[in-house]
Amino acid sequence: MSVKFSRRRFLQYGGSAFLGFASTAGSKACAQLKPEVSGDKIVANLERYIPELMQQARVPGAAVAVVREGRVLWAGGFGVKSVQTGERVTENTVFAAASLSKPVFAYAALKMCERGQLSLDLPLTNYTAKPYISDERIQQVTTRMVLAHTAGFPNWSGDEPVWFDFNPGAKFGYSSEGFIYLQSVVERLTKENFNDYMIRNFFAPLGMVNSSYVWRPAFESMAANGHDRGGKVYPLNRPKEAVSAGSLRTNVTDYAKFLMAMMEPGVYDNPFRLNEDSLAQMVRQNSAINSNLGWGLGWGVEKTRNGDFFWHWGDSGIYKSFALGSRMFQTGAVILTNSENGLKICDNIVKMALGGEHPAFDFEMIEY
């Protein structure tokens, strides 16, 4: 079952009072930032207003990181990991990232394309012993279609065999199933456990030491519990199987390193970092959603009056997250929360951190 988050739905959940708060107490902090606004001023606004935003939206815990000039300007934690224990969130607290898992996998898939192990535009059936499903249209599905969400699969098939909602390549249709299909191809090509492959080829080289698609014993003392809209605490979910579409556990300092990798290409023949052409392809629109929004390869893309940005959200119900960045301005923000209410605070935090209006928050965000 899926739940959608939009401005309309935001208002249904008490957003009018929240927006009123943002337009008064946080108005200066949320205004369009000018280049001369100092990093200290940005951090001061974030540290002042984030706790108020969280209180208004009933978000127990959040961690935020801001990237400026291609480097981490600041990272901080707010609130608690669990309302039962009262243990504080820090910048090292681990959260369920949900669909923020997808851009990370997309980056790794593009690196395989650079190495010649995979092609963006050849059918994925070229790499499989037998078709993923019996529908003959599977022979049309490519890596590009999966990463741009035009493969035609549903978001989730549940316990049912995967099917096509529309012909591959016909239009945009957000699909986690496509990422699971591509993951199976990657595992076949690398002959390696997916999480082990990601650690060796991605997390370790980028210094993302607290990121994993499966549960680690060390996370027991580091992880935040999820909370529903009323504040009920849920037990930790400890994934044993890596799912490229949504099982990533990470913290804001690690994910900020990924944003930094998106902004700066590796040198020629770098075995782990993407080159400039691949990075540009990730944030270049491959499929259109509306006049302001589209999808690149693994990232949503938005056009604003102040330039283009790449973005994605994460939604596992009791964890919500958001990341947005600009290669042009070398700036970005990561927000991880442990609440079903978490997306309510993301728009204003992004405005405080980066300035401007971001149409990404008008997109109907589908629950992972």
Side-chain angles (χ1 to χ4, degrees), residues 3-53:
V3 177
K4 294 182 178 180
F5 173 86
S6 65
R7 288 196 183 278
R8 292 189 301 276
R9 190 168 182 84
F10 179 83
L11 291 171
Q12 291 173 6
Y13 288 120
S16 56
F18 173 66
L19 289 171
F21 160 78
S23 65
T24 54
S27 59
K28 289 185 178 181
C30 296
Q32 171 62 45
L33 293 181
K34 297 179 180 180
E36 63 268 22
V37 174
S38 70
D40 289 344
K41 180 65 173 178
I42 292 171
V43 172
N45 281 332
L46 290 167
E47 291 181 337
R48 176 180 177 183
Y49 290 115
I50 286 176
E52 296 182 44
L53 294 170

Side-chain angles (χ1 to χ4, degrees), residues 169 193 199 227:
N193 171 278
I199 290 172
H227 300 73

Side-chain angles (χ1 to χ4, degrees), residues 286-297:
N286 275 259
S287 52
I289 298 171
N290 57 38
S291 59
N292 295 315
L293 298 175
W295 220 268
L297 299 179

Side-chain angles (χ1 to χ4, degrees), residues 1 9 17 21 33 60 75 113 146 163 200 228 235 238 249 269 274 280 304 309 324 337 341 361:
M1 185 175 72
R9 190 168 182 84
F21 160 78
L33 293 181
C113 291
V146 168
W163 66 89
R200 185 170 61 84
D228 68 14
R238 302 172 176 85
R249 267 53 181 170
D269 300 323
L274 288 182
T304 78
F309 291 80
L324 182 143
T337 81
N341 298 319
F361 290 101

Side-chain angles (χ1 to χ4, degrees), residues 17 47 66 101 112 177 191 212 223 229 251 271 287 309 352:
E47 291 181 337
V66 178
S101 306
M112 290 185 67
E177 291 290 351
K191 297 180 174 60
S212 175
R229 295 196 187 280
N251 59 30
S287 52
F309 291 80
M352 283 188 279

Side-chain angles (χ1 to χ4, degrees), residues 2-6 9-10 13 58-64 95-100 224-229 252 312-323 334-346 349 365-368:
S2 67
V3 177
K4 294 182 178 180
F5 173 86
S6 65
R9 190 168 182 84
F10 179 83
Y13 288 120
R58 298 186 68 185
V59 175
V64 179
F95 293 79
S99 284
L100 287 189
N225 290 81
H227 300 73
D228 68 14
R229 295 196 187 280
V252 290
H312 213 292
W313 81 100
D315 182 347
S316 64
I318 55 174
Y319 295 91
K320 302 287 175 75
S321 53
F322 193 82
V334 183
I335 306 161
L336 303 177
T337 81
N338 63 349
S339 171
E340 195 172 359
N341 298 319
L343 283 172
K344 295 180 181 181
I345 68 175
C346 293
I349 292 175
M365 299 179 182
I366 306 169
E367 179 185 31
Y368 159 62

